[in-house]
């Protein structure tokens, strides 16, 4: 009976590891889209950044807001694996690998987003050769890469037991996976000592990644907050960004989880209760983010310094008013309010709400990065009025979509060829249940 | 005896009440360098109403503001009997509630205000101090020399028929050269009959890194007449270059130590942590 149960669990959680047509079609579609976007990048490489809408006023456009969004989304790994699991929220365990995969994908590609913003990417190595140690940008590059390494380890180390369990089970075209998994399992046999080591290392990594994850998004926020521009020069940008990252991250997890649940047939393991808990988590982090939003806008509104007043006017009633209110009300306030009701903490409603939340998260980063640049303290000389209006061009949009496609590809591949729900953990839970 | 004493004190106090405002002797003799005519009187009237009316009221109507002391009406004999130089000095320096107009009204404009006021003084006849046409600025030489203590002397001489002649009444201002301009030291002084004017400069005036200051003497009543001389005087001001110290805003080689240490420590910590994890993973195989 136990063995049958064991076998069923292992089979359920690994049946998606195959090369079916759907997956190949999906990857093929993504590849085609990516190639189109890379064509646009080629235009940018040969003609320079003039193919974008960037100008004298707005020199950081959607490439940068995209980057901030990527760094934000990657924080979900820390939230799930470290904060939740370390504090005993064991319901999050089946979801933690999805969170880590999202974290790995976003932090890996974040650097590429920055490279796409460079007019001369061939000078990238100058950052290391002639880097300015006093620059928050350099600190950001350092922490993002460190976080990527930690997230990779947090993805890999808990995966080792599962690699051991699955090695030897593949046949046909997938035989090569047997070898890869065997090597990857590093000689893990499931002994007590080894289990303890894996648990210890996972716990260590979970603790270690906490300051790093806080660092990654705080340092990203310092890139803006260390300037004196109105709208950016805020002392609370660090916590503001981090709480925003949690909101975006939870929404991302819900979306990926819902898709994977369908395609990998995991409804027995990613249950309604998970959605209910995620909904409550979304509510909590949204409340926190709303709190920071109120601080971020009410305080300069009250002080009404001329430059701040101008910036806030543009957001509340001016050029960016529609985007601002759509994001704040439609994609933050209303989702948070809906999370109070159990009816909306179910699969379909939560999935839909999460799409709004994540779109809102992307738009919010646009609203953080671009409006501030449209009104510097002193006007820029010899520049036409036209430059005050930042208009996204087609090439710019395509080059921004490319990293998103890459992220989706990485998530798809990692969640396709590795078990999504940790197998050994699930087996252990069933065993513990049986014992009790 | 006591009565005499009381009378003496009383009369002295009365005199002190009337004492008012004394003007230095050399300033009393100063006169405008142009003739007061209808245009200068009209400009003067405009300037008067802009700057003086608020306290002194209309000239001749006694509608001045009651202050302590009273500004007084400017058509009285008290005012009329003062020289142009005295009125000019008072306008320039101010006293108590009357502000100094030295910086807010130009020299010529001050003369024009006086021109306007003088139209109310019966029996006034102007003494014009036209520039001496026989002496052009090219012929005058200024020389700055240091005297003992804190005194500096400026001499004005000219060559006339092969002989060096002293020039008097050259109005001089002495400046110390600073980074972004020139600092006026002491008051403006006119050269006396010896052709000399003496200025004092405080002993602790900041000098450059070698302990030297550059003095510039400028003549007010001659165009483009000046002299420049360096002296060892003042407080030797040794300042390191502004970018010598380590700072966040300085170049990379002058980055703050705490930042270099902190960043390096952070990198080492991350590297050590990852190294430790990888080492443990390597030894996983051996754990049975």
């Amino acid at each position: 009976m136990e063995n049958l149960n064991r076998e069923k669990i292992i089979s359920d959680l690994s049946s998606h590891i195959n090369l079916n047509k759907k997956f190949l079609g999906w990857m093929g579609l993504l590849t085609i889209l990516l190639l189109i976007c890379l064509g646009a990048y080629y235009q940018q490489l040969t003609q320079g950044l003039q193919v974008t809408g960037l100008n004298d006023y707005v020199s950081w456009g959607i490439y940068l807001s995209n980057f901030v969004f990527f760094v934000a989304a990657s924080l979900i790994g820390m939230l799930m694996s470290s904060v939740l699991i370390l504090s005993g929220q064991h319901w999050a365990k089946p979801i933690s690998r999805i969170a880590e995969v999202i974290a790995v994908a976003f932090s890996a590609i974040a650097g590429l987003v920055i490279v796409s913003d460079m007019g001369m990417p061939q000078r990238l190595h100058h950052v290391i050769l002639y880097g300015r140690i006093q620059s928050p940008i350099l600190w950001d590059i350092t922490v993002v890469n460190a976080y990527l390494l930690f997230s990779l380890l947090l993805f890999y180390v808990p995966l080792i037991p599962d690699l051991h369990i699955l090695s030897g089970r593949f046949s046909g075209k997938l035989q090569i996976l047997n070898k890869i998994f065997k090597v990857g399992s590093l000689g893990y046999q499931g002994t007590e000592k080894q289990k303890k080591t894996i648990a210890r290392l996972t716990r260590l990594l979970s603790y270690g990644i906490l300051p790093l994850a806080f660092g990654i998004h705080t340092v990203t926020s310092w890139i803006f907050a260390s300037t004196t521009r109105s709208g950016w020069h805020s002392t609370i940008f660090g916590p503001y960004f981090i709480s925003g990252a949690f909101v975006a991250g939870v929404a991302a997890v819900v979306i990926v989880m819902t898709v994977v649940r369908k395609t990998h047939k995991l409804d027995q393991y990613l249950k309604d209760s998970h959605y209910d808990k995620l909904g409550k988590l979304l509510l909590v982090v949204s409340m926190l983010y709303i709190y920071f939003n109120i601080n971020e806008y009410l305080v300069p509104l009250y002080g009404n310094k001329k430059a701040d007043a101008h910036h806030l006017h543009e957001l509340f009633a001016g050029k960016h008013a529609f985007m601002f209110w759509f994001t704040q009300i439609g994609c933050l306030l209303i989702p948070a309010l809906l999370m109070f009701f159990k009816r909306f903490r179910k699969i379909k409603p939560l999935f839909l709400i999460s799409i709004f939340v994540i779109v809102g998260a992307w738009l919010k980063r646009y609203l953080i990065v671009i409006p501030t640049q449209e009104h510097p303290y002193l006007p820029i000389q010899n520049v036409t009025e036209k430059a005050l209006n930042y208009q996204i061009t087609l090439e710019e949009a395509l080059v921004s979509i490319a990293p998103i496609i890459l992220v989706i590809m990485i998530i798809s591949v990692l969640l396709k060829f590795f078990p999504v729900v940790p197998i050994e953990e699930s087996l252990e839970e069933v065993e513990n249940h049986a014992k009790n | 005896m006591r009565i005499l004493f009381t009378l003496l004190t009383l009369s002295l106090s009365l005199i002190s009440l009337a004492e008012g405002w004394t003007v230095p002797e050399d300033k009393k003799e100063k006169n405008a360098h142009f003739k007061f005519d209808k245009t200068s009187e009209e400009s003067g009237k405009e300037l008067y109403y802009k700057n003086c009316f608020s306290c002194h009221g209309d000239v001749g109507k006694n509608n001045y503001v009651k202050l302590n002391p009273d500004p007084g009406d400017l058509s009285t004999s008290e005012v009329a009997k003062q020289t142009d130089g005295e009125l000019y000095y008072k306008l320039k320096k101010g006293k108590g509630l009357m502000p100094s107009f030295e910086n807010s009204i130009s020299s010529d404009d001050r003369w024009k205000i006086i021109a306007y006021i003088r139209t109310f003084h019966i029996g006034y006849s102007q003494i014009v101090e036209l520039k001496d046409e026989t002496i052009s600025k090219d012929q005058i030489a200024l020389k700055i020399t240091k005297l003992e203590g804190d005194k500096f002397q400026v001499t004005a001489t000219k060559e006339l028929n092969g002989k060096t002649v002293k020039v008097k009444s050259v109005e001089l201002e002495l400046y110390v050269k600073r980074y972004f301009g020139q600092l006026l030291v002491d008051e403006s002084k006119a050269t006396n009959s010896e052709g000399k004017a003496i200025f004092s400069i405080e002993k602790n005036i900041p000098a450059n890194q070698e302990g030297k200051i550059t003095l510039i003497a400028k003549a007010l009543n001659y165009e483009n007449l000046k002299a420049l001389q360096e002296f060892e005087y003042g407080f030797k001001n040794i300042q390191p270059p502004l970018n010598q110290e380590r700072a966040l805003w300085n170049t990379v080689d002058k980055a703050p130590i705490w930042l270099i240490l902190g960043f390096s420590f952070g990198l080492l910590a991350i590297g050590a942590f990852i190294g430790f994890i990888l080492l443990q993973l390597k030894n996983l195989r051996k754990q049975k």
Side-chain angles (χ1 to χ4, degrees), chain A residues 342-360:
Chain A
K342 192 166 173 100
R343 204 147 58 95
F344 294 98
R345 297 197 298 265
K346 294 206 157 67
I347 302 175
K348 277 212 181 80
L350 192 52
F351 179 72
L352 244 123
I353 289 170
S354 296
I355 293 183
F356 271 89
V357 171
I358 213 167
V359 165

Side-chain angles (χ1 to χ4, degrees), chain A residues 97-292:
Chain A
R97 192 163 290 159
I98 297 176
E100 282 307 327
V101 163
I102 294 175
V104 165
F106 275 106
S107 53
I109 304 297
L112 283 183
V113 179
I114 291 296
V115 174
S116 76
D117 189 39
M118 292 171 76
M120 288 226 200
Q122 64 267 30
R123 287 187 182 169
L124 186 58
H125 60 287
H126 285 199
V127 175
I128 303 177
L129 289 181
Y130 310 114
R132 186 174 161 75
I133 201 176
Q134 296 106 313
S135 164
I137 295 179
L138 187 87
W139 308 339
D140 199 31
I141 295 170
T142 316
V143 280
V144 168
N145 285 315
Y147 182 75
L148 172 61
L149 283 172
F150 271 64
S151 296
L152 271 169
L153 283 171
L154 256 179
F155 168 67
Y156 175 56
V157 169
L159 189 62
I160 290 173
D162 290 358
L163 292 179
H164 162 71
I165 293 175
L166 292 178
S167 67
R169 294 175 64 95
F170 302 105
S171 55
K173 287 203 188 117
L174 289 171
Q175 258 180 349
I176 182 119
L177 278 180
N178 291 327
K179 189 133 195 251
I180 298 172
F181 279 22
K182 188 145 173 69
V183 170
S185 64
L186 296 181
Y188 181 85
Q189 294 293 324
T191 65
E192 278 308 307
K193 256 198 175 169
Q194 284 173 333
K195 278 191 187 172
K196 280 212 175 91
T197 305
I198 295 286
R200 188 164 54 93
L201 291 181
T202 309
R203 207 169 50 245
L204 260 175
L205 279 167
S206 303
Y207 280 124
I209 207 173
L210 261 172
L212 203 54
F214 270 83
I216 182 183
H217 218 27
T218 306
V219 172
T220 305
S221 77
W222 286 351
I223 293 176
F224 304 99
S226 59
T227 67
T228 52
R229 307 189 80 155
S230 65
W232 282 358
H233 197 48
S234 162
T235 56
I236 60 165
F237 247 37
Y240 177 54
F241 271 42
I242 289 180
S243 53
F246 289 164
V247 174
V250 173
V253 161
V254 168
I255 293 173
V256 173
M257 189 169 113
T258 313
V259 170
V260 149
R261 194 172 171 270
K262 256 283 157 59
T263 58
H264 293 14
K265 297 189 181 49
L266 290 170
D267 10 347
Q268 299 284 330
Y269 301 89
L270 298 173
K271 297 180 264 205
D272 283 343
S273 60
H274 289 117
Y275 281 86
D276 182 52
K277 291 258 169 44
L278 278 174
K280 287 179 183 163
L281 180 63
L282 182 63
L283 173 62
V284 167
V285 294
S286 296
M287 291 281 110
L288 185 62
Y289 192 44
I290 291 170
Y291 165 73
F292 277 108

